[in-house]
């Protein structure tokens, strides 16, 4: 089954890349920024992968952090791309040029990590719900059809971050907390939101032990230690940026907690609490609406199974008397509860503090999104006619159509350097 998932993931990447190159050849590029950065006087198929944020990652890979606003993009992806370009892909430098080799390295990382992430999501689901291979497979397929297809095949961090995230979550499911913390330390050097994964340690080692009257104080100490390891990538990068830019007498350096990341997000990218709530941003809220709605329905579906359990974080249950049978192997299993809390938190955070349309890419590393979609598709497409109902079938078809149509449209628009981004 795992080999089949890897195969499907690889096929979707080949289709995505093929359609992107064909679109670029026949339609061209609306913006010449990629050609300018690559010093290319004529079209090149690799140009199709250099769009928006990818231009920052390429520049960082080659020159390091020259400009303050570049620090919004974390160093793991550029460093790996540089390493591969200077080792495995070194012979290509004389053929493609150094910049094109860096770009090819970044694209290769993204696509290899995408295939690995699809398999990692399958293994994570099996680790949590060993009796539901059907959901594990459907969820992995949902990941393979993720709407932001080109972002996950270009010089972006989405695929790399998803793979690291899923692997760390699998270690958590297996109670291998140190391994999870170590791999997530790399995740926090790839994207800042990895620091919220520390919540898994506090949930498992402190809260659930407290609920079950176990050694929760010892668990609290362990959770703090694992948290420090997890955020070490983020902290190390902030320390680097402090030394790199504070010699230039920047205003954020005088703050009690001199974090360049917070300053850059507000100063250069306009992020902040409700800062995006402007009339001119209505089209972007419309773009984000499908993922927001899927998230709301997914959370509603989970919560209504045992609302008291969810709202009290396992202190009480509406299943009275509590039965072992309630520990089901479906989407509503209590084994998935902590992931639902993560989903709810990130949904509120994105809607209140970020460029809301980014939710389409931001949620590519969020397993419960795929579990809900996978459960929806399994029920509508993989069950007998007697198990189906009109409402779930319509919902499944709508979600499937959205995944496919948005993905295809996104490939063409991305290739032409056209919004949305």
């Amino acid at each position: 089954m795992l080999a089949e998932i890897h195969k499907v993931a690889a096929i979707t990447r080949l289709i995505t890349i093929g359609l992107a190159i064909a679109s670029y050849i026949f339609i061209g590029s609306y913006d010449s920024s990629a050609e300018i950065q690559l010093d290319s006087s004529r079209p090149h198929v690799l140009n199709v992968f250099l769009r928006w944020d990818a231009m920052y990652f390429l520049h960082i890979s080659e020159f390091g952090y020259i400009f303050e606003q570049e620090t919004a993009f974390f160093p793991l992806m550029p460093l790996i791309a540089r390493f591969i370009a200077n080792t495995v892909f070194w012979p290509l430098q004389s053929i493609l040029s150094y910049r094109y080799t860096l770009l090819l390295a970044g694209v290769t990382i993204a696509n290899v990590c995408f295939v690995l992430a699809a398999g990692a999501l399958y293994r994570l689901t099996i680790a949590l719900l060993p009796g539901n291979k059907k959901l594990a497979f459907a969820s992995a397929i949902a990941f393979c059809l993720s709407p932001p297809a080109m972002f996950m095949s270009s010089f972006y961090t989405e695929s790399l971050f998803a793979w690291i995230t899923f692997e760390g979550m699998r270690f958590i499911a297996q109670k291998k907390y140190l391994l999870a913390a170590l791999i997530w330390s790399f995740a926090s050097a790839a994207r800042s939101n990895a620091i919220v994964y520390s919540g898994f340690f506090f949930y498992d080692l402190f809260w659930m032990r407290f609920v079950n009257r176990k050694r929760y104080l010892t668990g609290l100490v362990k959770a703090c230690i694992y948290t420090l390891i997890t955020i070490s990538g983020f902290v190390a990068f902030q320390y680097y940026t402090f030394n790199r830019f504070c010699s230039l007498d920047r205003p954020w350096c005088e703050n009690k907690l001199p974090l360049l990341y917070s300053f850059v997000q507000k100063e250069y990218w306009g992020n902040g609490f409700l800062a995006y709530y402007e009339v001119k941003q209505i089209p972007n809220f419309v773009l984000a609406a499908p993922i927001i709605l899927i998230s709301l329905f997914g959370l509603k579906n989970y919560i209504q199974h045992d609302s008291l359990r969810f709202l009290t974080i396992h202190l009480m249950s509406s299943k009275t008397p509590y039965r072992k049978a309630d520990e089901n192997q479906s989407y509503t299993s209590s084994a998935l509860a902590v992931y639902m809390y993560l989903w709810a938190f990130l949904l509120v955070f994105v809607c209140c503090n970020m460029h809301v349309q980014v939710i389409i890419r931001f949620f590519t590393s969020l397993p419960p999104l795929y579990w809900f979609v996978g459960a929806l598709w399994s029920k509508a497409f993989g069950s007998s006619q007697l198990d189906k109902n009109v409402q779930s079938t319509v919902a499944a078809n709508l979600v499937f159509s959205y995944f496919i149509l948005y993905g295809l449209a996104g490939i063409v628009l991305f290739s032409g350097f056209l919004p949305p981004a």
Side-chain angles (χ1 to χ4, degrees):
M1 191 71 76
L2 187 60
E4 188 175 347
I5 289 167
H6 284 152
K7 181 179 179 180
V8 172
I11 290 172
T12 62
R13 293 312 90 198
L14 291 173
I15 293 173
T16 296
I17 292 170
L19 288 174
I21 292 174
S23 298
Y24 179 69
I25 291 173
F26 289 105
I27 299 175
S29 178
Y30 176 76
D31 192 311
S32 60
S33 299
E35 286 76 11
I36 292 173
Q37 183 170 348
L38 291 164
D39 295 328
S40 175
S41 58
R42 57 188 178 82
H44 191 292
V45 292
L46 286 177
N47 293 358
V48 74
F49 299 106
L50 194 63
R51 301 290 186 257
W52 291 288
D53 293 357
M55 302 180 75
Y56 286 98
F57 285 117
L58 180 62
H59 187 265
I60 295 166
S61 294
E62 184 174 9
F63 300 107
Y65 289 91
I66 305 298
F67 306 107
E68 195 175 65
Q69 60 266 38
E70 290 180 320
T71 59
F73 306 95
F74 279 39
L76 184 64
M77 183 69 162
L79 286 174
I80 297 175
R82 183 190 298 175
F83 174 77
I84 292 178
N86 291 330
T87 54
V88 180
F89 286 178
W90 177 78
L92 297 176
Q93 293 183 21
S94 60
I95 302 172
L96 295 175
S97 82
Y98 185 53
R99 285 184 187 171
Y100 271 116
T101 304
L102 283 170
L103 178 57
L104 180 60
V107 171
T108 302
I109 294 165
N111 285 280
V112 169
C113 286
F114 183 93
V115 175
L116 294 174
L121 178 60
Y122 174 81
R123 293 197 294 170
L124 167 63
T125 311
I126 291 297
L128 292 165
L129 304 173
N132 200 341
K133 291 185 178 180
K134 184 178 180 181
L135 178 60
F137 181 78
S139 302
I141 296 301
F143 175 82
C144 292
L145 299 177
S146 297
M150 269 306 288
F151 290 97
M152 301 187 80
S153 281
S154 299
F155 201 160
Y156 276 70
T157 59
E158 272 69 15
S159 294
L160 171 64
F161 187 75
W163 175 48
I164 298 175
T165 292
F166 298 157
E167 290 290 2
M169 288 176 175
R170 181 169 62 87
F171 289 137
I172 288 287
Q174 297 171 341
K175 311 301 181 186
K176 299 176 181 178
Y177 300 110
L178 179 58
L179 286 176
L182 289 171
I183 196 169
W184 281 344
S185 68
F186 289 98
S188 70
R191 289 171 67 169
S192 63
N193 51 296
I195 63 178
V196 303
Y197 296 161
S198 59
F200 282 90
F201 302 119
F202 289 98
Y203 179 86
D204 262 23
L205 297 174
F206 172 68
W207 182 253
M208 292 308 295
R209 288 188 181 187
F210 175 79
V211 171
N212 295 308
R213 301 296 187 267
K214 294 182 178 180
R215 299 172 61 186
Y216 55 87
L217 291 179
T218 302
L220 179 60
V221 173
K222 290 181 178 179
C224 291
I225 293 172
Y226 294 139
T227 293
L228 291 175
I229 296 173
T230 296
I231 68 174
S232 62
F234 175 86
V235 172
F237 182 52
Q238 296 311 298
Y239 179 75
Y240 163 81
T241 59
F242 180 86
N243 290 325
R244 172 71 179 82
F245 293 102
C246 276
S247 60
L248 304 177
D249 195 27
R250 300 297 296 143
W252 59 271
C253 298
E254 303 301 321
N255 295 339
K256 291 182 179 179
L257 187 62
L259 289 180
L260 176 54
Y261 182 75
S262 303
F263 175 81
V264 165
Q265 288 296 327
K266 183 177 181 180
E267 181 74 12
Y268 296 101
W269 307 105
N271 284 317
F273 184 67
L274 302 183
Y276 214 54
Y277 281 74
E278 301 176 296
V279 174
K280 65 180 181 180
Q281 302 298 349
I282 290 177
N284 287 321
F285 278 88
V286 173
L287 284 172
I291 296 296
I292 293 174
L293 288 173
I294 291 172
S295 297
L296 290 174
F297 279 108
L299 287 166
K300 173 181 175 292
N301 186 282
Y302 184 85
I303 293 170
Q304 69 183 8
H305 176 73
D306 190 343
S307 57
L308 193 59
R309 177 192 67 184
F310 184 86
L311 296 175
T312 63
I313 319 180
H314 284 271
L315 284 175
M316 293 181 282
S317 174
S318 57
K319 303 292 183 182
T320 309
Y322 183 80
R323 303 187 308 265
K324 191 66 179 177
D326 293 324
E327 288 298 319
N328 59 63
Q329 292 286 299
S330 72
Y331 171 76
T332 56
S333 170
S334 61
L336 308 186
V338 65
Y339 300 89
M340 301 302 165
Y341 294 123
L342 175 65
W343 195 4
F345 171 78
L346 292 180
L347 179 62
V348 173
F349 183 81
V350 173
C351 290
C352 294
N353 294 278
M354 295 176 61
H355 295 186
V356 71
Q357 75 274 17
V358 177
I359 192 173
I360 301 169
R361 293 189 280 126
F362 193 66
F363 276 16
T364 51
S365 56
L366 199 56
L369 172 67
Y370 302 115
W371 291 331
F372 175 63
V373 173
L376 202 62
W377 289 354
S378 295
K379 186 175 182 180
F381 306 143
S383 303
S384 65
Q385 198 65 34
L386 293 174
D387 295 329
K388 298 179 182 179
N389 61 67
V390 175
Q391 189 177 10
S392 64
T393 301
V394 170
N397 279 295
L398 284 174
V399 173
F400 182 77
S401 298
Y402 165 70
F403 270 49
I404 298 299
L405 294 177
Y406 190 98
L408 292 174
I411 292 171
V412 175
L413 292 172
F414 185 100
S415 303
F417 217 143
L418 293 165

